[in-house]
Amino acid sequence: MQVFFSMEGKELQARIKGEVDLETADQLRQELEASLDHARPEVLLLDLAGVTFMDSSGLGVILGRYRRLQKKGGRIILYRPQPQVRRLLELSGLGKIMTIETGEGLSEQGEID
C-alpha cells in the first residue's frame, strides 16, 4: 500500500494505492494522521481509485479520520472508489455520512464533480 499526498487550498488529497487491510491499515492511519497534523485541512479527499481491496480495518481508519475532522467542522470526500470498495463503503454506512464522488459527472449528493 502506498499513499501520495498533495494540498490544494484547504483540501488535503490522499491518493491511496494497493490493499487496505489488517496488515496495512496502521501504516495508512499513521500517514494520514501525520499529514493531517501538518496540513490542518478543512477537507480530506481520499482518492480510492487505486485501492484494489479494503476490509473493516480500512473502514476503521476512514471513520477515525472522519471523527477527527468532524470535530473541527471538516469533512471527508471518498473519491473514485472501485466498485467492490464502493459496495463495502455503502454497506458499512459510511456512504451515508461522507460524500462519495464517482468522478463520472455527479456525486451522490447531486453536485458536479
Side-chain angles (χ1 to χ4, degrees), residues 52-68:
T52 56
F53 174 80
M54 182 181 290
D55 68 8
S56 61
S57 304
L59 295 175
V61 171
I62 293 171
L63 186 58
R65 286 353 85 209
Y66 168 80
R67 288 180 178 149
R68 174 184 169 162

mmCIF file of all heavy atoms in Angstrom, residues 52-68:
data_model
loop_
_atom_site.group_PDB
_atom_site.id
_atom_site.type_symbol
_atom_site.label_atom_id
_atom_site.label_comp_id
_atom_site.label_asym_id
_atom_site.label_seq_id
_atom_site.Cartn_x
_atom_site.Cartn_y
_atom_site.Cartn_z
ATOM 1 N N THR A 52 -7.386 -1.675 -4.440
ATOM 2 C CA THR A 52 -7.888 -2.912 -5.037
ATOM 3 C C THR A 52 -8.675 -3.772 -4.055
ATOM 4 O O THR A 52 -9.447 -4.634 -4.465
ATOM 5 C CB THR A 52 -6.715 -3.732 -5.600
ATOM 6 O OG1 THR A 52 -5.763 -3.961 -4.551
ATOM 7 C CG2 THR A 52 -6.036 -2.998 -6.749
ATOM 8 N N PHE A 53 -8.476 -3.537 -2.744
ATOM 9 C CA PHE A 53 -9.174 -4.317 -1.724
ATOM 10 C C PHE A 53 -9.197 -3.501 -0.446
ATOM 11 O O PHE A 53 -8.227 -2.820 -0.111
ATOM 12 C CB PHE A 53 -8.453 -5.644 -1.460
ATOM 13 C CG PHE A 53 -9.041 -6.440 -0.325
ATOM 14 C CD1 PHE A 53 -10.176 -7.213 -0.518
ATOM 15 C CD2 PHE A 53 -8.476 -6.393 0.941
ATOM 16 C CE1 PHE A 53 -10.738 -7.931 0.542
ATOM 17 C CE2 PHE A 53 -9.033 -7.111 1.998
ATOM 18 C CZ PHE A 53 -10.160 -7.883 1.787
ATOM 19 N N MET A 54 -10.310 -3.577 0.289
ATOM 20 C CA MET A 54 -10.406 -2.940 1.595
ATOM 21 C C MET A 54 -11.245 -3.824 2.504
ATOM 22 O O MET A 54 -12.249 -4.383 2.070
ATOM 23 C CB MET A 54 -11.040 -1.549 1.483
ATOM 24 C CG MET A 54 -11.107 -0.820 2.819
ATOM 25 S SD MET A 54 -11.882 0.816 2.719
ATOM 26 C CE MET A 54 -10.651 1.723 1.812
ATOM 27 N N ASP A 55 -10.812 -3.945 3.757
ATOM 28 C CA ASP A 55 -11.607 -4.680 4.736
ATOM 29 C C ASP A 55 -12.021 -3.739 5.862
ATOM 30 O O ASP A 55 -11.843 -2.521 5.761
ATOM 31 C CB ASP A 55 -10.864 -5.929 5.233
ATOM 32 C CG ASP A 55 -9.633 -5.615 6.075
ATOM 33 O OD1 ASP A 55 -9.408 -4.442 6.421
ATOM 34 O OD2 ASP A 55 -8.889 -6.564 6.392
ATOM 35 N N SER A 56 -12.537 -4.294 6.932
ATOM 36 C CA SER A 56 -13.053 -3.472 8.033
ATOM 37 C C SER A 56 -11.955 -2.637 8.699
ATOM 38 O O SER A 56 -12.246 -1.579 9.264
ATOM 39 C CB SER A 56 -13.755 -4.343 9.068
ATOM 40 O OG SER A 56 -12.852 -5.277 9.632
ATOM 41 N N SER A 57 -10.712 -3.066 8.617
ATOM 42 C CA SER A 57 -9.609 -2.280 9.172
ATOM 43 C C SER A 57 -9.495 -0.948 8.439
ATOM 44 O O SER A 57 -9.278 0.096 9.055
ATOM 45 C CB SER A 57 -8.281 -3.031 9.046
ATOM 46 O OG SER A 57 -8.351 -4.281 9.657
ATOM 47 N N GLY A 58 -9.635 -0.980 7.129
ATOM 48 C CA GLY A 58 -9.606 0.237 6.330
ATOM 49 C C GLY A 58 -10.780 1.145 6.648
ATOM 50 O O GLY A 58 -10.634 2.370 6.727
ATOM 51 N N LEU A 59 -11.961 0.544 6.832
ATOM 52 C CA LEU A 59 -13.138 1.322 7.208
ATOM 53 C C LEU A 59 -12.905 2.039 8.536
ATOM 54 O O LEU A 59 -13.289 3.193 8.706
ATOM 55 C CB LEU A 59 -14.372 0.435 7.309
ATOM 56 C CG LEU A 59 -14.856 -0.228 6.024
ATOM 57 C CD1 LEU A 59 -16.023 -1.164 6.327
ATOM 58 C CD2 LEU A 59 -15.233 0.797 4.981
ATOM 59 N N GLY A 60 -12.254 1.351 9.455
ATOM 60 C CA GLY A 60 -11.953 1.941 10.760
ATOM 61 C C GLY A 60 -11.025 3.142 10.649
ATOM 62 O O GLY A 60 -11.211 4.146 11.350
ATOM 63 N N VAL A 61 -10.046 3.049 9.774
ATOM 64 C CA VAL A 61 -9.127 4.170 9.559
ATOM 65 C C VAL A 61 -9.904 5.380 9.020
ATOM 66 O O VAL A 61 -9.751 6.505 9.496
ATOM 67 C CB VAL A 61 -7.977 3.789 8.591
ATOM 68 C CG1 VAL A 61 -7.165 5.015 8.195
ATOM 69 C CG2 VAL A 61 -7.085 2.738 9.218
ATOM 70 N N ILE A 62 -10.750 5.139 8.035
ATOM 71 C CA ILE A 62 -11.530 6.226 7.443
ATOM 72 C C ILE A 62 -12.461 6.845 8.485
ATOM 73 O O ILE A 62 -12.544 8.069 8.625
ATOM 74 C CB ILE A 62 -12.325 5.728 6.223
ATOM 75 C CG1 ILE A 62 -11.364 5.342 5.093
ATOM 76 C CG2 ILE A 62 -13.314 6.795 5.748
ATOM 77 C CD1 ILE A 62 -12.031 4.639 3.919
ATOM 78 N N LEU A 63 -13.159 6.011 9.247
ATOM 79 C CA LEU A 63 -14.092 6.502 10.257
ATOM 80 C C LEU A 63 -13.380 7.329 11.328
ATOM 81 O O LEU A 63 -13.873 8.376 11.753
ATOM 82 C CB LEU A 63 -14.866 5.344 10.892
ATOM 83 C CG LEU A 63 -15.971 5.728 11.860
ATOM 84 C CD1 LEU A 63 -17.008 6.626 11.194
ATOM 85 C CD2 LEU A 63 -16.630 4.475 12.425
ATOM 86 N N GLY A 64 -12.219 6.885 11.741
ATOM 87 C CA GLY A 64 -11.442 7.629 12.738
ATOM 88 C C GLY A 64 -11.045 9.012 12.248
ATOM 89 O O GLY A 64 -11.111 10.000 12.988
ATOM 90 N N ARG A 65 -10.632 9.115 10.992
ATOM 91 C CA ARG A 65 -10.247 10.420 10.431
ATOM 92 C C ARG A 65 -11.491 11.290 10.244
ATOM 93 O O ARG A 65 -11.447 12.499 10.420
ATOM 94 C CB ARG A 65 -9.548 10.279 9.082
ATOM 95 C CG ARG A 65 -8.109 9.777 9.007
ATOM 96 C CD ARG A 65 -7.324 9.576 10.278
ATOM 97 N NE ARG A 65 -7.628 8.244 10.787
ATOM 98 C CZ ARG A 65 -7.596 7.891 12.082
ATOM 99 N NH1 ARG A 65 -7.228 8.717 12.997
ATOM 100 N NH2 ARG A 65 -7.884 6.675 12.469
ATOM 101 N N TYR A 66 -12.615 10.665 9.906
ATOM 102 C CA TYR A 66 -13.883 11.395 9.787
ATOM 103 C C TYR A 66 -14.238 12.049 11.126
ATOM 104 O O TYR A 66 -14.585 13.235 11.177
ATOM 105 C CB TYR A 66 -14.990 10.434 9.346
ATOM 106 C CG TYR A 66 -16.377 11.008 9.472
ATOM 107 C CD1 TYR A 66 -16.880 11.881 8.510
ATOM 108 C CD2 TYR A 66 -17.178 10.682 10.570
ATOM 109 C CE1 TYR A 66 -18.164 12.413 8.634
ATOM 110 C CE2 TYR A 66 -18.454 11.213 10.699
ATOM 111 C CZ TYR A 66 -18.932 12.076 9.732
ATOM 112 O OH TYR A 66 -20.191 12.601 9.859
ATOM 113 N N ARG A 67 -14.158 11.281 12.198
ATOM 114 C CA ARG A 67 -14.491 11.811 13.524
ATOM 115 C C ARG A 67 -13.571 12.962 13.903
ATOM 116 O O ARG A 67 -14.005 13.962 14.454
ATOM 117 C CB ARG A 67 -14.419 10.703 14.572
ATOM 118 C CG ARG A 67 -15.550 9.723 14.455
ATOM 119 C CD ARG A 67 -15.443 8.646 15.491
ATOM 120 N NE ARG A 67 -16.559 7.725 15.407
ATOM 121 C CZ ARG A 67 -16.496 6.453 15.714
ATOM 122 N NH1 ARG A 67 -15.363 5.918 16.150
ATOM 123 N NH2 ARG A 67 -17.551 5.685 15.599
ATOM 124 N N ARG A 68 -12.289 12.805 13.582
ATOM 125 C CA ARG A 68 -11.317 13.853 13.892
ATOM 126 C C ARG A 68 -11.664 15.147 13.146
ATOM 127 O O ARG A 68 -11.699 16.223 13.737
ATOM 128 C CB ARG A 68 -9.914 13.394 13.500
ATOM 129 C CG ARG A 68 -8.881 14.487 13.657
ATOM 130 C CD ARG A 68 -7.516 14.084 13.180
ATOM 131 N NE ARG A 68 -6.665 15.263 13.130
ATOM 132 C CZ ARG A 68 -5.369 15.225 13.094
ATOM 133 N NH1 ARG A 68 -4.734 14.074 13.105
ATOM 134 N NH2 ARG A 68 -4.665 16.342 13.041
#
